[in-house]
Amino acid sequence: MGDAAMHIQALRATATLSILLWAKVAATNLGLGGAKLNAGGRAPEDTYQKSADEVTEESKVAQDRAQRIVNNDLENIPYTMVMAWGSMFCIYSMDNESVRDQHAMAQIILYSLFLVARIGHSVAYAKGLAYPRTAVWMLGFVITFAIGINGAVASFGVSS
């Protein structure tokens, strides 16, 4: 990110992290497609999937787990992305450069941690690790609020 002002770095980080989060969503959706294929859970006309007599209980469990990961992503990631971009707008609009830089740094840290938490959540869910899954979900949940609060506080540094 070099010598760019901190708010420019935060803008770039928010854009990059948003792409990485959406790539994570795409990866989990592709994983769900594979799990459905192995469990015979795709549309009936998809004749290339396993038939009912070929499907194992393990593949049904894997499909359910993959579906839950996708659902959880869709319940959390889009809302946090909106919060992050709203926060970024408020930060970018601030007048006081030193305070703006503090909010920009917080944006970079919080949104980066959210990405790590969401990846950790998917890994823990896929491996059936209940307590780590809950811990990283809670971390991401709290970070979503922190991103929103950071933006709300920054909005008070915007003059008319």
Side-chain angles (χ1 to χ4, degrees), residues 46-137:
D46 294 348
T47 55
Y48 50 84
Q49 68 182 323
K50 291 196 175 186
S51 64
D53 58 318
E54 296 175 300
V55 173
T56 65
E57 188 60 32
E58 183 179 303
S59 63
K60 290 179 186 177
V61 170
Q63 177 186 329
D64 181 58
R65 191 170 293 284
Q67 183 66 63
R68 289 172 186 268
I69 292 169
V70 167
N71 290 350
N72 197 279
D73 279 353
L74 294 177
E75 293 164 0
N76 290 276
I77 291 175
Y79 297 108
T80 303
M81 289 176 90
V82 169
M83 288 278 227
W85 281 102
S87 177
M88 192 64 246
F89 176 78
C90 294
I91 293 165
Y92 209 87
S93 301
M94 292 181 75
D95 299 319
N96 184 317
E97 188 175 320
S98 65
V99 177
R100 181 182 65 203
D101 286 351
Q102 293 170 4
H103 285 280
M105 180 57 75
Q107 170 83 358
I108 293 167
I109 293 168
L110 291 169
Y111 205 30
S112 296
L113 288 173
F114 180 77
L115 173 64
V116 170
R118 291 310 305 171
I119 292 169
H121 177 267
S122 293
V123 170
Y125 215 133
K127 295 191 175 291
L129 305 171
Y131 293 119
R133 179 188 82 220
T134 301
V136 291
W137 178 87

Side-chain angles (χ1 to χ4, degrees), residues 1 8-18 107-108 111-112:
M1 291 187 208
I8 301 293
Q9 291 182 35
L11 181 67
R12 292 172 181 164
T14 300
T16 302
L17 292 165
S18 293
Q107 170 83 358
I108 293 167
Y111 205 30
S112 296

